[in-house]
Amino acid sequence: LKAAAVASGREHFVAIRRDGASLATWGCSNEFGQTGQGGEQMGIGPCPLRSFAVQPGVKIHSVACGQDHALALTERGEVFAWGDNMSGQLGRSSKSATPFVSTPQRVEAGALRGLAVRQIAAGAHHSLVLGLSGQVAAWGCNRRGRLGLGSGYDEVDMVSLPMLVADLPGGVRSVAGGGRHSAVVLRKGVVLSAGDNRSGQLGQDPAVLEWSGTFIELDFADAQLQVRAVALGEAHSLFLTYTGELFGVGG
């Protein structure tokens, strides 16, 4: 297999073949259709490697995997999703919501209607995208405010349609999804995060802040640092600065 990029979930893998025209997927389980190979291949046993085109004639730009779902971004800025949908992480309308989707389906409802996307990110049970003009949309599980949609959604556990994240202070350069939290990096190198903070993964004292449904700025204390990239795990966060320093928070 010659691949240009690869992403992994709990028990599945998604790779972009070098020419970008198709995906190669496999896994030790395909219980939720997370390999995207279709209903005939679903099951709890191993799923062999197979290749398929997401959209004939259109190349894939990037892929991302959650625990049991996957996202693909085409060169046209379109988003496709498949796999587990129990938390609404596939962005399908409530009228057509299903527990799982076994083949890639375009996400084009809610905030993604007409939105050209330049980056995708997947948390364990939620999804995020960054639009060409800096808009951030999120959907899926919202327990402990991990979507960062604001206080109006603090009591909403699931958001099945993509929603725009409002009131972000400045242009957004990238987004990231973790186990129960999310992060955005602003163009000026500032990091904002939302969601669960019981392990300190938002960079805040858990005794003071247990979780936040609004994106809040990570405080580097006295250091004036500019963050270049963020990676989120189940309950921790890593930050790479422009000077090559690596910082981590959480458990």
Side-chain angles (χ1 to χ4, degrees), residues 61-108:
H61 176 272
S62 57
V63 290
C65 289
Q67 179 170 299
D68 295 306
H69 77 289
L71 304 173
L73 175 64
T74 73
E75 62 182 1
R76 294 177 177 175
E78 301 165 333
V79 178
F80 288 77
W82 63 95
D84 183 22
N85 193 42
M86 293 294 289
S87 296
Q89 58 265 56
L90 302 188
R92 298 173 65 80
S93 68
S94 57
K95 292 181 180 179
S96 61
T98 57
F100 57 83
V101 174
S102 61
T103 58
Q105 300 294 317
R106 186 178 173 188
V107 185
E108 52 186 342

Side-chain angles (χ1 to χ4, degrees), residues 214-246:
T214 301
F215 280 98
I216 56 176
E217 184 174 344
L218 176 68
D219 186 5
F220 282 101
D222 296 330
Q224 299 296 316
L225 300 175
Q226 290 187 319
V227 172
R228 178 180 182 180
V230 172
L232 305 183
E234 175 66 24
H236 67 282
S237 308
L238 296 174
F239 312 98
L240 177 65
T241 71
Y242 278 98
T243 58
E245 297 174 286
L246 183 65

Side-chain angles (χ1 to χ4, degrees), residues 25-38:
T25 70
W26 68 99
C28 57
S29 172
N30 193 32
E31 181 180 1
F32 303 99
Q34 61 263 47
T35 65
Q37 296 179 10

